Amino acid sequence: MGFDELRRLEQETGTTLPDSPTQKVSEDTITGQKEEHEFAALSLAKTKQPAELVKWAEERPIWISWKLDGLTLVVTYDDGRLTKVVTRGNGHIGTNITHLSKAINGIPQQIDYKGHTVIRGEAVISYDDFDRFLMESGEDYANPRNLASGSLTLKDVEEVKQRHIQWIPFTLVHIDDDIISWGDRMTWLERQGFQTVEHERVEHPDIDAVEGVIDAFTQKVTSKQNPYPVDGLVICYDDTEYAQTGSVTGHHATKAGLAFKWQDESADTILQEIEWSCAASTISPVAIFQPVELEGTTVKRASLCNISECERLGIGTKGTEISVIKANKIIPKVIKVIRTKGALEIPHECPVCHAKTEIRISEASGTKTLHCTNPECPAKQLKKFARFVSKEGMNIDGISEQTLAKFINLGWVSEYADIYDLRSHIRELANMDGFGEKSASNIMRSIDRSANVEAHRLLYALNIPLCGLDVCKRLLSAYPLDELVAKTQPQPAIEGDLFASPTSDISPLTSIPGIGPEKSAAFVNWFRDAHNMQRYQHLLEKIQVTQASTEPTGSQCEGLTFVVTGDVHHYKNRNELKAYIESQGGKVASAVSGSTNFLINNDVMSTSGKNQKAKQLGIPIISEDEFIERFSSH
């Protein structure tokens, strides 16, 4: 029986058992010092029907916002200072993680308001940061929510910082002042420097108005305009006093809000085969089935996640009847098996490198997953190949991560240089499902264009640990590429010195501004690895590397250090502004410190952390207009 059907029966009969799933509040499992919430963080009742939202609204003005898919954190301020950060826990008691607050973006240590303040928000990780973390760390997490949850169990603040967790307030629970309107409360949060959840007011919530706003949010999901994972929408009354007049049923406050989940359109179809796709550290089963129309698109494949999920569903072989949906309008998913035919066969060798496979069972969850035993299997480097072809890297259009996975599983790509030999497979590519001659030709042209690459893009594309674009540019600002790579190699012993040996120093680059021992060691160790060096040489045989001069072309910013934050309007983006500063002999740092001369922020009066730090240190905060007036030659 489904959750919605169970709830309907409970409403019809008036009977609800104490252990009913409808009465359970989701609970995080983070361990640590427990703390009782000052205001209970109750869960919201759910619906998939817009008409129920309209009925709940009672013709009162409402707000609709994202239901972010992360971990709820309750943040408290007193006298303008952050006093505690507590996880939601079971809604009544959570875990105190205040020690991690500096590692979570969006939680300022100080705000202007001096009263008692309690804010509830969601700790989330963007899809881009999630993919980047998996690629650079080699760790395996199912989704951004799991990574956020796992990150908040760590004790090392610096390690948590690397996860790029963003806290986004979704409601102001309490302040000492009287602000009745929920919308005004969100505006108040924004004036205090918080980045609040995206929200839209519906003044007259009839069915047309509500469905119109839902459709606009849905479009952002299906077109992937929203950078953070969501699992629905939330509606709440603008009148917060009225919202408090509701009763508490189970773990739900009846007027605190209502969660909207997208209606999943399902279709029945026939399984054609199970494809075992090797990517990252696991070999995952993928259902290939007769095409069906879902949410306006044709769907013919869906991940089955792992062996345990196949067993739970009762997946068989070709001819098995299944029912599929697009979960949250995006992800194809097999939801049930109507009739099983045959038995699932688990491969004994990796589909990519043909090494032996093994089934592993998670101690925590008991989940069965299939793994390749070869640590050098090319499929385990999928995220690295994705960064290699990315816009910031070699900038090869038309090759998505899914396409790369196909190339790897077909045996066409096992190292970076192989991408430049794909032309030998152009006929096969043109005949592949979903491609055709035009797209195959476009991919080849894009590969050809990328063969002439700037040095900093190449270094970034190589996936060297701790070496983002900024680090690559800093390294190349000090040395030409060939000389930079030469510096990573051990120096020979001095002739005549009987006791000398090749040096093992791994920090020859620490004299470069912004390159500390860790980054230097990571860069040097990568090039000292014979396997990496061999593949780098193979790649150089296929491409032409260019390197622009790093010498300043002017002196407008000479000897000055800037920090740039917030949006820019005159320059295309912050990178273009940074490039101008460096071209004029200046430096750009990522954080405000005693050596900073100017902080550039168009919101000069912002209470952001950077602005507050600059004020503490007496560093001038200037707008983009003022920067242009003072430091531009135009």
Side-chain angles (χ1 to χ4, degrees), residues 276 285 304 306-316 337 340 344 346 359 361 366-369:
W276 292 86
L304 291 165
N306 50 55
I307 296 170
S308 291
E309 179 67 1
C310 290
E311 292 175 346
R312 185 189 71 80
L313 289 166
I315 292 291
V337 169
T340 302
L344 178 70
I346 299 172
I359 297 174
I361 302 177
T367 302
K368 296 179 185 177
T369 50

Side-chain angles (χ1 to χ4, degrees), residues 307-458:
I307 296 170
S308 291
E309 179 67 1
C310 290
E311 292 175 346
R312 185 189 71 80
L313 289 166
I315 292 291
T317 56
K318 183 177 181 179
T320 295
E321 295 179 33
I322 58 176
S323 183
V324 296
I325 64 169
K326 283 183 76 175
N328 284 338
K329 302 285 186 183
I330 298 177
I331 305 169
K333 181 180 181 181
V334 178
I335 56 169
K336 67 178 178 180
V337 169
I338 301 168
R339 184 177 64 85
T340 302
K341 184 175 181 180
L344 178 70
E345 296 181 2
I346 299 172
H348 297 291
E349 65 175 42
C350 172
V352 174
C353 69
H354 306 292
K356 183 181 176 182
T357 61
E358 64 179 14
I359 297 174
R360 298 177 191 166
I361 302 177
S362 167
E363 291 183 8
S365 63
T367 302
K368 296 179 185 177
T369 50
L370 188 66
H371 297 261
C372 172
T373 56
N374 174 16
E376 298 299 323
C377 178
K380 293 184 178 181
Q381 314 304 318
L382 176 60
K383 296 291 182 183
K384 293 183 178 180
F385 281 109
R387 172 160 157 174
F388 181 83
V389 303
S390 70
K391 189 173 183 179
E392 297 82 3
M394 301 300 286
N395 192 22
I396 304 177
D397 288 332
I399 301 185
S400 65
E401 189 170 310
Q402 188 176 2
T403 301
L404 281 168
K406 288 181 180 179
F407 293 165
I408 292 168
N409 279 276
L410 286 167
W412 296 355
V413 171
S414 61
E415 61 175 291
Y416 298 141
D418 292 339
I419 290 174
Y420 293 91
D421 291 329
L422 281 172
R423 187 169 290 279
S424 62
H425 299 286
I426 189 170
R427 189 52 46 204
E428 296 162 89
L429 178 60
N431 291 325
M432 279 174 61
D433 191 25
F435 287 89
E437 290 190 8
K438 184 176 180 180
S439 58
S441 296
N442 287 341
I443 287 174
M444 293 308 148
R445 279 196 292 271
S446 185
I447 290 173
D448 291 343
R449 284 196 301 270
S450 77
N452 193 314
V453 64
E454 295 176 2
H456 71 275
R457 288 182 176 275
L458 170 62

Side-chain angles (χ1 to χ4, degrees), residues 89-159:
N90 64 8
H92 297 280
I93 297 174
T95 305
N96 191 312
I97 59 164
T98 310
H99 61 289
L100 295 178
S101 62
K102 291 184 178 179
I104 302 172
N105 299 320
I107 303 181
Q109 298 298 301
Q110 290 184 311
I111 60 175
D112 289 342
Y113 183 70
K114 300 304 180 185
H116 181 56
T117 310
V118 182
I119 310 165
R120 206 172 289 146
E122 200 80 353
V124 291
I125 294 176
S126 72
Y127 288 113
D128 285 347
D129 285 328
F130 175 68
D131 289 341
R132 189 176 297 114
F133 176 81
L134 294 188
M135 179 171 56
E136 294 178 353
S137 70
E139 296 185 39
D140 187 21
Y141 284 88
N143 52 53
R145 187 187 191 282
N146 286 1
L147 176 58
S149 177
S151 300
L152 295 179
T153 65
L154 301 172
K155 292 184 172 62
D156 187 342
V157 173
E158 291 304 316
E159 190 175 354

Side-chain angles (χ1 to χ4, degrees), residues 236-256:
C236 64
Y237 294 113
D238 185 61
D239 186 340
T240 58
E241 286 189 344
Y242 180 75
Q244 293 173 12
T245 64
S247 60
V248 175
T249 303
H251 289 280
H252 301 148
T254 57
K255 291 184 178 178

